[in-house]
């Protein structure tokens, strides 16, 4: 499988002769518009949380599921979405995912109660899981090696800025109250955008099909989704429901369901099948470190965007647009450092990932101190500054993380390895919103004041500091593995040169 490969050697996909020379500019613009839209819709609902509470009477559990349910469906369907691209062609699957994303966005926009919105968000996440794997698959299959790194850098920029643009543009649309639709426009805007993007995709995307026709592992995909759901749903709903028996039954069932899924994956691999999870990858320490690092990073990032939005609107009394605008410097810093990360890594190596995570820890630690000593609206300028510092660190770390984690993974398995990494990141985001979001509501109290919101944001940011410390430690493992691989390649090259010299002599 090649869909999510960051390794140029890993692709086995090939464009058809008729479309072997696509126009790179329009091609990349169409692909990244879909990736931007998928990431944008994960974060845009943060700024609309108070609107959901007011218009739909959504409680804390529903809010967490509106945000985290999308990420859960996205994560659980990602690898299967990539396999669909193998089977039916990446352009066809990409267009189908775009259309499905537009339709499910329409369902979100016309929802009349929290249950309908949560259900529509789950469907929207599954649609994103069909659409997004084709983005990297097409980049890997159609861009020449010398241009692929730049395309991947823009991929990182698009994803990072989308997370912040969701806050800023979402707040602007809510404040403008376009056509009197309020929060519904946040979803309905995807309908015309998706339609136009689908038409442009048919025009500019090459017809790419994988040389190896991987088979669908529906049982494995279902097992992974069920395992993730058994964790996320009770964590999101347990606190507000009073932790009834079903929540503990679900959490307890995670172990046997997960074990059965692993057993099936091993059995399928032994029979020569195509399991959703390649369990042999986890024997490589740097890859396992990459999986945990990606999950920890997204758990911090998704949850801090969720909780700080609640703080800014509920605690500091900002309107949606003002709250979104407070994140604009974070987005600018993320985009700028993302573009700088690739040349910096080329010059200084993967130490840049460690540097980025240290910068993020610094920004978040400063935010904790700000909220500790000034738990009111006067802290707002410092919240903006400290989050901008964290944005710089995020941009140095996140765009390079998948490629760095795959450094010791064989090229033939880099695609499925990247798919698991991306799935772990999305699961981390969903779990972060569910767990840290629940902790935020518990700490804020039943009828929270500004100081209550600030106290809750402070303690949940402490958790984010701990998660980014984990990222810092694990990027050290990844860097050392990359250094060993680089030394081995130099030694092999020197040996080959020596053997060639002896033979010529």
């Amino acid at each position: 499988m090649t869909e999510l490969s960051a390794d140029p050697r890993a692709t086995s996909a090939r464009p058809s002769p008729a479309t072997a020379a696509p126009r790179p500019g329009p091609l990349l613009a169409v692909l990244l518009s879909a990736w931007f839209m998928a990431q944008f819709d994960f974060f845009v609902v943060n700024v609309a949380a108070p609107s959901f509470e007011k218009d739909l009477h959504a409680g804390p559990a529903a809010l967490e599921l509106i945000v985290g349910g999308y990420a859960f469906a996205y994560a659980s369907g990602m690898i299967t979405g990539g396999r669909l691209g193998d089977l039916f062609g990446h352009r066809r699957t990409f267009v189908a995912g775009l259309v499905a994303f537009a339709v499910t966005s329409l369902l979100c926009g016309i929802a009349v109660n929290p249950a309908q919105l949560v259900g529509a968000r789950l469907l929207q996440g599954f649609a994103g899981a069909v659409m997004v794997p084709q983005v990297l698959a097409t980049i890997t299959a159609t861009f020449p090696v010398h241009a692929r790194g730049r395309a991947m850098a823009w991929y990182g920029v698009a994803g990072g800025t989308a997370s912040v643009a969701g806050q800023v543009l979402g707040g602007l649309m809510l404040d403008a109250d376009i056509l009197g639709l309020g929060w519904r426009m946040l979803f309905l805007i995807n309908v015309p955008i998706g339609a136009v993007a689908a038409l442009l995709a048919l025009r500019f995307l090459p017809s790419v099909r994988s040389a190896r026709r991987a088979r669908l592992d529906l049982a494995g995909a279902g097992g992974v989704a069920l395992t993730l759901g058994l964790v996320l749903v009770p964590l999101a709903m347990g606190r507000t429901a009073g932790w009834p028996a079903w929540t503990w039954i679900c959490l307890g069932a995670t172990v046997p369901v997960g074990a059965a899924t692993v057993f099936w994956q091993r059995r399928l691999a032994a029979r020569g099948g195509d399991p959703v999870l390649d369990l042999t990858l986890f024997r490589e320490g740097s890859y396992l470190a990459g999986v945990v690092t990606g999950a920890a990073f997204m758990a911090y990032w998704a949850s801090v965007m969720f909780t700080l939005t609640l703080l800014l609107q509920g605690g500091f009394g900002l309107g949606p647009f003002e709250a979104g605008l407070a994140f604009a410097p974070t987005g600018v810093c993320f985009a700028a450092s993302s573009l700088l990360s690739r040349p910096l890594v080329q010059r200084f190596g993967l130490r840049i990932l460690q540097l980025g995570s240290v910068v993020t820890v610094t920004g978040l630690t400063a935010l904790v101190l700000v909220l500790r000593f000034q738990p009111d609206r006067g802290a707002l300028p410092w919240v903006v500054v400290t989050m901008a510092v964290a944005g710089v660190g995020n941009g140095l770390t996140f765009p390079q993380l998948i490629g760095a984690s795959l450094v010791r993974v064989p090229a033939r398995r880099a695609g499925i390895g990247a798919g698991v990494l991306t799935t772990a990141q999305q699961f981390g985001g969903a779990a972060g919103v569910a767990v840290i979001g629940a902790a935020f509501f518990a700490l804020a109290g039943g009828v929270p004041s500004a100081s209550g919101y600030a106290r809750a944001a402070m303690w949940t940011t402490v958790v984010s500091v701990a998660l980014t410390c984990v990222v810092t430690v694990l990027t050290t493992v990844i860097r050392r593995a990359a250094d060993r691989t680089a030394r081995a390649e130099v030694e092999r090259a020197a040996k080959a040169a020596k053997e060639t010299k002896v033979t010529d002599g």
Side-chain angles (χ1 to χ4, degrees):
M1 184 176 146
T2 61
E3 284 59 39
L4 297 169
S5 176
D7 188 336
R9 303 168 299 169
T11 181
S12 60
R14 57 188 178 214
S16 66
T19 56
R23 296 168 59 186
L27 169 62
L28 189 61
V30 172
L31 292 172
L32 294 187
S33 67
W35 166 235
F36 184 96
M37 189 163 57
Q39 289 296 99
F40 180 90
D41 268 58
F42 176 72
F43 288 94
V44 74
V45 294
N46 289 336
V47 77
S51 299
F52 298 145
E53 288 181 300
K54 179 181 177 182
D55 294 348
L56 298 181
H57 306 291
L63 292 177
E64 291 159 26
L65 288 173
I66 289 168
V67 179
Y70 174 86
F72 155 68
Y74 191 9
S76 60
M78 183 71 70
I79 298 177
T80 300
R83 293 278 173 86
L84 291 173
D86 279 346
L87 288 170
F88 301 110
H90 300 304
R91 180 175 66 176
R92 183 183 302 174
T93 308
F94 179 77
V95 171
L98 266 172
V99 172
F101 197 87
V103 171
T104 53
S105 296
L106 175 62
L107 294 178
C108 291
I110 62 176
V112 297
N113 58 53
Q116 288 184 9
L117 184 54
V118 169
R121 285 283 286 173
L122 288 170
L123 293 175
Q124 191 186 36
F126 284 123
V130 174
M131 173 178 68
V132 169
Q134 319 316 319
V135 175
L136 284 177
T138 305
I139 290 174
T140 305
T142 58
F143 279 74
V145 173
H146 69 273
R148 198 172 297 151
R150 184 174 180 82
M152 290 298 297
W154 279 109
Y155 177 88
V157 171
T161 54
S163 64
V164 182
Q167 310 283 118
V168 179
L169 298 181
L172 177 61
M173 285 191 286
L174 280 173
D175 223 35
D177 193 17
I178 301 170
L179 300 178
L181 293 171
W183 61 265
R184 298 180 187 278
M185 184 54 70
L186 303 181
F187 300 110
L188 296 177
I189 191 67
N190 291 333
V191 178
I193 293 175
V196 172
L199 292 173
L200 292 176
L202 291 172
R203 169 67 178 85
F204 291 111
L205 264 63
S207 180
V208 180
R209 188 182 294 271
S210 177
R212 180 176 178 271
R213 301 291 297 276
R215 289 163 288 181
L216 287 176
D217 174 20
L218 294 178
V224 170
L226 181 58
T227 302
L228 298 182
L230 288 171
V231 174
L232 292 176
V233 173
L235 288 178
M237 302 182 68
R239 186 188 68 84
T240 53
W243 296 106
W246 69 265
T247 59
W248 298 108
I249 292 172
C250 287
L251 290 172
T254 301
V255 175
V257 172
T261 302
V262 169
F263 173 78
W264 168 250
Q265 296 298 280
R266 287 177 174 170
R267 183 179 178 185
L268 185 61
R271 288 162 41 187
D274 294 302
V276 167
L277 301 175
D278 186 347
L279 298 175
T280 61
L281 291 173
F282 294 97
R283 298 172 186 169
E284 176 55 58
S286 62
Y287 178 78
L288 180 59
V291 171
V292 178
T293 300
F297 180 94
M298 282 303 297
Y300 131 68
W301 182 235
S303 63
V304 82
M305 296 293 278
F306 179 63
T307 56
L308 284 184
T309 301
L310 294 172
L311 169 68
L312 294 178
Q313 293 193 56
F316 292 173
L318 300 184
F321 178 58
E322 293 174 307
L325 198 60
F327 290 103
T330 305
V332 172
C333 291
F334 193 117
S337 58
S338 292
L339 289 174
L340 287 173
S341 65
R342 181 170 172 263
L344 287 174
V345 167
Q346 289 177 333
R347 182 171 181 181
F348 299 107
L350 295 182
R351 289 180 177 85
I352 297 302
L353 273 71
Q354 294 174 278
L355 173 63
S357 59
V358 169
V359 171
T360 300
V361 169
T362 302
L364 293 178
T365 301
L367 177 59
V368 170
L369 296 175
V370 166
L371 295 175
R372 170 65 180 83
F373 293 107
Q374 193 168 10
D376 53 40
R377 186 165 176 161
L380 179 59
W382 293 108
V383 172
V384 173
V385 170
T386 55
M387 282 303 297
V389 172
V392 172
N394 292 347
L396 293 175
T397 302
F398 187 65
Q400 307 297 327
L401 193 54
I402 288 182
S405 302
L406 293 171
V407 71
R408 293 181 65 84
V409 172
R412 69 182 185 279
R413 293 188 291 169
I416 193 169
V420 173
L421 284 166
T422 308
T423 298
Q425 289 172 2
Q426 297 303 322
F427 172 74
V433 171
V435 177
I436 300 177
F440 178 91
F441 286 115
L443 290 166
V447 184
S449 60
S451 60
Y453 274 109
R455 180 179 63 253
M458 181 192 72
W459 285 113
T460 53
T461 305
V462 168
V463 177
S464 293
V465 171
L467 288 171
T468 48
C469 286
V470 170
V471 171
T472 304
V473 172
L474 292 180
T475 51
T476 304
V477 176
I478 297 170
R479 179 185 63 80
R480 289 176 178 172
D483 289 344
R484 289 196 302 271
T485 301
R487 285 195 298 269
E489 289 180 353
V490 169
E491 291 171 0
R492 280 196 299 269
K495 184 177 179 181
K498 184 176 180 181
E499 291 174 351
T500 301
K501 185 176 181 180
V502 171
T503 303
D504 292 343

